[in-house]
Amino acid sequence: MKIVQSLAISAFVLLSIQTVSAQYGNNGYGGNGYGGRGRMNSGMSQDRGQDKPREIPAEETISKIMLKLKPAVGLDELQEIAISNILLESIKRQGVILKQETNQSDQMKDLQILSENTERRVIELLNDDQKEKYKIFSEESKNPKKSKKNR
């Protein structure tokens, strides 16, 4: 449950950062395109290509998660595919929830329910030993590098 929550929050933060950079980046506020002969033409061609901020594909996010999760929990190929599909479905549903015209508290409740359901579905695929490793992995991903701070 904790890993899915952290994934949901991470995905939301990443998408928010991209939106902010697209709004305040080099799209007219930075002065690019004015005052230089060569820069003006190249700036105009870049602006046409950057009408929308580049969204990180869900598959890319899932592959980064699975790179860490697979060795930490000891997943086999079938488990890896099944969990990847569960996470992909979860990320897509997160996007739908975040685009809904509801207040923030309702969205947070919906995201919490989605997170719990996703974690439950992932845990169902694991054996007892993997469940323990998954809990440890979830705690470590929730509180990264706590052990290194104590040194």
Side-chain angles (χ1 to χ4, degrees):
M1 181 176 100
K2 304 294 182 188
I3 184 127
V4 177
Q5 284 179 323
S6 61
L7 292 175
I9 292 170
S10 299
F12 179 73
V13 169
L14 287 173
L15 293 174
S16 298
I17 290 171
Q18 284 187 334
T19 303
V20 170
S21 68
Q23 290 176 357
Y24 295 105
N26 294 326
N27 288 332
Y29 293 110
N32 289 343
Y34 299 104
R37 292 181 192 136
R39 289 175 48 196
M40 185 171 180
N41 290 336
S42 66
M44 289 175 68
S45 64
Q46 286 178 348
D47 286 343
R48 288 186 195 136
Q50 294 180 349
D51 289 341
K52 287 185 176 180
R54 183 181 89 79
E55 290 187 22
I56 297 174
E59 292 81 7
E60 186 177 325
T61 303
I62 291 169
S63 67
K64 289 179 182 179
I65 294 166
M66 294 308 292
L67 282 175
K68 295 177 184 176
L69 182 64
K70 184 178 178 179
V73 178
L75 300 175
D76 62 25
E77 296 279 330
L78 187 60
Q79 287 174 319
E80 182 181 3
I81 293 168
I83 291 172
S84 295
N85 290 336
I86 291 170
L87 294 177
L88 179 62
E89 181 183 333
S90 176
I91 289 175
K92 288 180 180 180
R93 285 186 182 177
Q94 287 173 19
V96 170
I97 290 170
L98 293 174
K99 289 178 183 177
Q100 289 176 345
E101 297 291 327
T102 59
N103 63 28
Q104 190 172 8
S105 63
D106 287 344
Q107 285 182 343
M108 292 304 292
K109 288 177 188 174
D110 290 344
L111 288 172
Q112 179 69 29
I113 291 168
L114 177 63
S115 173
E116 290 171 0
N117 288 338
T118 302
E119 182 160 354
R120 179 185 46 78
R121 290 176 61 197
V122 168
I123 288 175
E124 287 175 355
L125 299 172
L126 304 175
N127 62 36
D128 292 335
D129 185 41
Q130 289 174 326
K131 288 177 185 178
E132 291 299 319
K133 291 177 182 179
Y134 180 77
K135 288 178 184 177
I136 293 169
F137 178 79
S138 296
E139 289 299 319
E140 287 176 357
S141 64
K142 198 172 71 170
N143 303 318
K145 299 181 184 177
K146 238 183 183 178
S147 61
K148 290 184 180 181
K149 288 182 181 178
N150 293 336
R151 292 182 184 173

